[in-house]
Amino acid sequence: MTEKKQKIAAVISVIVFMILLLPIVYLTGVNRASGDDYGYGLYTRMAWMRTHSLVEVFKGMCQTVKEFYGGWQGTWFSIAVFTLQPEVFHDKAYVIVAVLMLFLWIASTAYLFREVLCRKLGFSGWSCLLIAVWFLIISIEFIPNTRSSIYWFNGCAHYMLPFAMCQVLTVWLLRYGESYRWRTFVGILIFMTLLGGSNYQAALFGLIAAFYACAWGLLFRKDRRILLLGIPMLTELVGLVVSMKSPGNLVRGGNDFGFSAARAFQTIGSCFVHAVTDIGVYAAERPLALVGLLFLFLLFLLLLRQRQERLAIPHRLILGIMLFCLYSAMQAPELYAGVTVSKGVPNTNYLIFLLTAAFILLMAADCLVACLKKRERAGASQKGFWSVIVAGLFVCAVLGLLNRGGIKRCASYEALVYITSGQAADFKEQMELQTRLLEDDRVTDAVIPGINDRQGPLMHMPVTKNKDAYTNQVTGRFYGKQSVVSIERPVWMERYAAEYGIEAK
């Protein structure tokens, strides 16, 4: 593929990517906070509404971390970010959540691919863009849960923000192994320390990535300066221990929560089994994602065909094993805990699988191209290469047709259905009314029309009829009400619509 063709293909791919993002981004104007967003944002909202001082907001953040650390969970960095959910500052500010999370996701991925493909392996900028865009399409469209990856602030802050940090951290670790610059080291130190207080998968990723960097530098580059990475590894471990020692973890996980050496060793062995099992799950539930990886492999072949030399990747087998071990390790927190986990955990497993699989496929494609070129130099026809491409495209087409029903599980399709069905507009109208009622200072015991939690790709934890329910309690406290309850919408319209100048429907 010539550079001109790479440019054309990259531009077309970007246009396709932007079109696919349109329905996803459109829902940002409908998205609203609920449930946990209110619970974690209580003290910071109170501080902001009372003083509009960021210093007071920071004090509210610390108060929230202290309260939840003792009563629910120990992930102190995640809790600190939870307290900054956008509706703390303005009731319309939640619209930035999807855009912000997509930006972090896309930007960190592009940053990592540019570092590896352009700076390390010598790909052109256009070919790097082409690869990154198609990788992002696969990642975003087939993510197991869009709520915890795009729309719900708490889920995104606990999983997607640390994932983006891990991708940036990987770039910095690669660069530090070459330049040993202090500013890079400081960035690594800050990120790894904070990852110690985030979700356990991200914390584990940071430790493994730093360990890999140290081992690679010592074994293959013979440079002891890389041992300075032991400092951020130590600070992350300290942060992780602080997180794991939280009294709140016993409240949330039960009295069995704690460290067990026997369980740890058992978990290590189980990780590899579950990692392979998950690939089977992806094949069954998200077959188009694997078709996308096959297409990416063919794209690698086309781009590598034009290169005169092989990719400068030393110790490929060892690197491939390291990548598979990294992916497998992401299973450990869930297996060790042995409890039901949030939807963000499968999201992280899926994203790490795609990353590691993509780079393993890149190395495999390089080996295949080298073999085909060797045969051509020995007198074989170039038809061998194009036969592989045509056969691969044929397999992609057949698998795509057989699994075309999987399109309905794409993030863009789900968002589009939610919009065109009228549910999105209806939800927006209902939430605007709910906010209006909750912000009415004349009311201390709020009665609001019910909203169900089946809101397509959006996260919604509805207020219920039970004033003592968790969502009712946190919603009431967030808006300064003594109590909040919901009743059936037709009943509410009959009783209260006229009082608020609303036409009964």
Side-chain angles (χ1 to χ4, degrees), residues 133-396:
V133 166
W134 280 105
F135 179 85
L136 283 166
I137 290 175
I138 302 168
S139 303
I140 294 173
E141 291 297 333
F142 301 105
I143 192 79
N145 187 273
T146 53
R147 295 179 179 184
S148 295
S149 60
I150 299 174
Y151 296 110
W152 184 34
F153 183 82
N154 272 26
C156 294
H158 194 45
Y159 291 100
M160 293 308 297
L161 172 60
F163 172 72
M165 292 171 64
C166 286
Q167 294 203 113
V168 174
L169 174 65
T170 302
V171 174
W172 290 348
L173 288 170
L174 290 171
R175 290 188 178 182
Y176 186 71
E178 292 180 345
S179 63
Y180 298 98
R181 291 182 179 176
W182 275 103
R183 64 181 182 182
T184 306
F185 178 82
V186 171
I188 293 171
L189 179 65
I190 293 173
F191 269 34
M192 290 191 66
T193 302
L194 295 178
L195 287 175
S198 68
N199 74 77
Y200 295 144
Q201 287 173 295
L204 189 57
F205 183 103
L207 288 172
I208 293 174
F211 173 77
Y212 279 176
C214 282
W216 197 272
L218 283 176
L219 294 175
F220 302 122
R221 292 180 178 168
K222 310 298 183 181
D223 196 330
R224 293 186 178 182
R225 289 179 295 176
I226 199 70
L227 290 176
L228 279 176
L229 290 178
I231 296 174
M233 291 174 69
L234 178 61
T235 59
E236 182 180 328
L237 281 171
V238 170
L240 187 58
V241 169
V242 170
S243 174
M244 296 176 69
K245 289 293 184 179
S246 159
N249 288 336
L250 294 178
V251 177
R252 186 171 186 175
N255 293 327
D256 292 335
F257 185 89
F259 179 74
S260 166
R263 194 191 308 174
F265 281 110
Q266 183 180 3
T267 298
I268 293 173
S270 300
C271 283
F272 296 98
V273 176
H274 281 78
V276 175
T277 302
D278 264 8
I279 297 175
V281 172
Y282 300 145
E285 297 182 358
R286 293 170 184 80
L288 293 181
L290 299 189
V291 174
L293 281 177
L294 176 57
F295 178 79
L296 199 62
F297 176 74
L298 298 176
L299 189 58
F300 289 150
L301 293 177
L302 288 171
L303 294 172
L304 291 169
R305 173 75 176 180
Q306 305 301 317
R307 295 173 64 103
Q308 299 298 319
E309 298 178 353
R310 295 191 62 182
L311 297 177
I313 303 177
H315 313 290
R316 295 168 184 242
L317 179 59
I318 295 175
L319 182 57
I321 293 173
M322 291 167 65
L323 289 172
F324 180 73
C325 288
L326 176 63
Y327 157 63
S328 301
M330 294 301 101
Q331 306 281 337
E334 178 182 0
L335 293 174
Y336 182 84
V339 297
T340 302
V341 295
S342 71
K343 299 298 184 181
V345 172
N347 283 349
T348 302
N349 289 342
Y350 173 74
L351 292 172
I352 301 300
F353 162 71
L354 288 183
L355 276 177
T356 53
F359 287 107
I360 289 173
L361 287 175
L362 176 60
M363 292 189 291
D366 186 53
C367 291
L368 179 56
V369 169
C371 290
L372 291 173
K373 284 185 175 180
K374 184 177 180 180
R375 290 185 59 190
E376 290 172 10
R377 288 194 295 268
S381 170
Q382 293 187 5
K383 291 181 180 179
F385 174 82
W386 294 109
S387 296
V388 172
I389 298 296
V390 172
L393 290 174
F394 178 76
V395 172
C396 284

Side-chain angles (χ1 to χ4, degrees), residues 15-29 102 141 151 411-412 415-416 419:
I15 293 172
V16 170
F17 182 47
M18 293 176 68
I19 292 173
L20 290 173
L21 284 181
L22 285 178
I24 296 174
V25 174
Y26 176 87
L27 287 181
T28 194
L102 284 170
E141 291 297 333
Y151 296 110
S412 296
L416 188 61
I419 295 166

Side-chain angles (χ1 to χ4, degrees), residues 105-136 167-168 170-172 174-175 178 181 183 300 307 311 355 358-359 362:
W105 190 348
I106 294 169
S108 62
T109 302
Y111 188 49
L112 175 60
F113 274 59
R114 181 179 179 275
E115 177 68 20
V116 175
L117 297 179
C118 292
R119 293 190 74 251
K120 299 291 186 185
L121 302 179
F123 280 80
S124 69
W126 289 113
S127 60
C128 177
L129 178 62
L130 179 60
I131 294 169
V133 166
W134 280 105
F135 179 85
L136 283 166
Q167 294 203 113
V168 174
T170 302
V171 174
W172 290 348
L174 290 171
R175 290 188 178 182
E178 292 180 345
R181 291 182 179 176
R183 64 181 182 182
F300 289 150
R307 295 173 64 103
L311 297 177
L355 276 177
F359 287 107
L362 176 60

